[in-house]
Amino acid sequence: MEAAAAEPGNLAGVRHIILVLSGKGGVGKSTISTELALALHHAGKKVGILDVDLCGPSIPRMLGAQGRAVHQCDRGWAPVFLDREQSISLMSVGFLLEKPDEAVVWRGPKKNALIKQFVSDVAWGELDFLVVDTPPGTSDEHMATVEALRPYQPLGALVVTTPQAVSVGDVRRELTFCRKTGLRVMGIVENMSGFTCPHCAECISVFSRGGGEELARLAGVPFLGSVPLDPELTRSLEEGHDFIQEFPGSPAFAALSSIAQKILDTTPMCLP
């Protein structure tokens, strides 16, 4: 471990690493990863996204990057750059599949080996933030990701839940996982937290409300915010558009921008 810390290799230029976790599937973890990365990017930061949700690599579609190719460079794999300035980049197993609907039918050791290769062999260059989108649960892939990144001192974990009691209960186990692995919890985000009517602006609690905030209070960790359901956000993700840039008047935009700003405000060093 000391040797890895002394030779950071392709992560040498990455200032901060954030793992996005959830206790269960279907809570919008990849949505939060994508929009957090875009919000940090529009705040002037250089951002990379590492998609290690190997069985459900949806981020290439969410960012309009499906079908793009990963190329070799002298330091390993070059990530896929999403803008001309090369200030936001992505690496995903989705780029390595011959067909976008091809299933990843791998046993644990092969998955863990690819995660370690993603950590060591992707040439990110200089980044302010690397956002790591993990699969749901507390599986082998989580352990492989945390252990591979531990020498590089991740900033912490952002944990995503929805308001329902079932989801909150699963996220409580995710917090236990963080404690057992020594991963600092940066905060909890409650996703799908109500629906704001586009006609009258009234917020309807479709899946109840407040479960994430109450869990954060009981666990003694920060509550970063609630993101409402938003048809424009869903459409942007399905079509690969930049929601943060295109819908600044949306309630979801305000929530996501606030979450990104809280992360920037608590980052333990001044970024350029």
Side-chain angles (χ1 to χ4, degrees):
M1 186 171 293
E2 291 180 359
E7 298 179 5
N10 280 326
L11 290 176
V14 178
R15 292 181 175 87
H16 301 294
I17 301 171
I18 299 173
L19 284 83
V20 181
L21 308 176
S22 67
K24 66 186 284 87
V27 300
K29 173 185 49 58
S30 295
T31 295
I32 297 299
S33 297
T34 298
E35 299 307 324
L36 172 63
L38 287 171
L40 291 170
H41 168 62
H42 287 298
K45 308 306 176 188
K46 292 192 70 173
V47 182
I49 309 164
L50 177 57
D51 180 7
V52 295
D53 191 347
L54 303 184
C55 294
S58 54
I59 290 186
R61 175 175 178 172
M62 292 178 170
L63 289 170
Q66 271 188 314
R68 300 279 294 275
V70 172
H71 300 286
Q72 292 284 334
C73 64
D74 57 355
R75 290 181 291 130
W77 284 335
V80 170
F81 293 101
L82 305 174
D83 63 343
R84 292 183 179 180
E85 296 76 21
Q86 298 189 352
S87 58
I88 181 166
S89 53
L90 169 65
M91 176 56 75
S92 169
V93 72
F95 297 134
L96 307 180
L97 304 177
E98 292 185 4
K99 299 177 182 179
D101 57 353
E102 183 179 344
V104 177
V105 187
W106 294 349
R107 295 188 183 276
K110 189 171 182 179
K111 290 181 180 179
N112 296 346
L114 180 61
I115 289 171
K116 292 176 182 177
Q117 191 172 5
F118 273 165
V119 169
S120 63
D121 290 359
V122 179
W124 295 105
E126 296 291 326
L127 292 180
D128 294 313
F129 289 95
L130 177 63
V131 178
V132 183
D133 183 48
T134 66
T138 55
S139 61
D140 280 355
E141 292 101 303
H142 288 81
M143 292 300 300
T145 302
V146 171
E147 291 305 315
L149 290 171
R150 191 186 302 280
Y152 311 109
Q153 300 178 336
L155 190 60
L158 186 153
V159 182
V160 182
T161 186
T162 51
Q164 309 98 302
V166 170
S167 177
V168 169
D170 288 335
V171 169
R172 188 176 289 110
R173 287 186 281 274
E174 194 75 37
L175 296 176
T176 302
F177 169 83
C178 291
R179 284 195 294 271
K180 288 184 176 180
T181 57
L183 188 61
R184 182 174 75 93
V185 177
M186 301 176 65
I188 293 175
V189 172
E190 183 178 286
N191 194 29
M192 307 182 196
S193 183
F195 171 73
T196 301
C197 176
H199 304 292
C200 68
E202 179 183 358
C203 186
I204 303 167
S205 297
V206 180
F207 300 121
S208 79
R209 193 176 180 88
E213 187 169 8
E214 177 67 8
L215 175 60
R217 185 186 67 80
L218 293 173
V221 300
F223 181 68
L224 298 179
S226 301
V227 181
L229 291 162
D230 188 327
E232 297 297 350
L233 175 56
T234 302
R235 190 174 299 113
S236 295
L237 292 165
E238 290 180 345
E239 297 176 357
H241 294 167
D242 187 337
F243 172 80
I244 298 295
Q245 184 178 52
E246 296 182 8
F247 296 97
S250 161
F253 168 88
L256 292 162
S257 297
S258 174
I259 291 166
Q261 189 57 53
K262 287 177 181 177
I263 290 173
L264 290 170
D265 290 344
T266 58
T267 300
M269 66 177 287
C270 183
L271 295 176

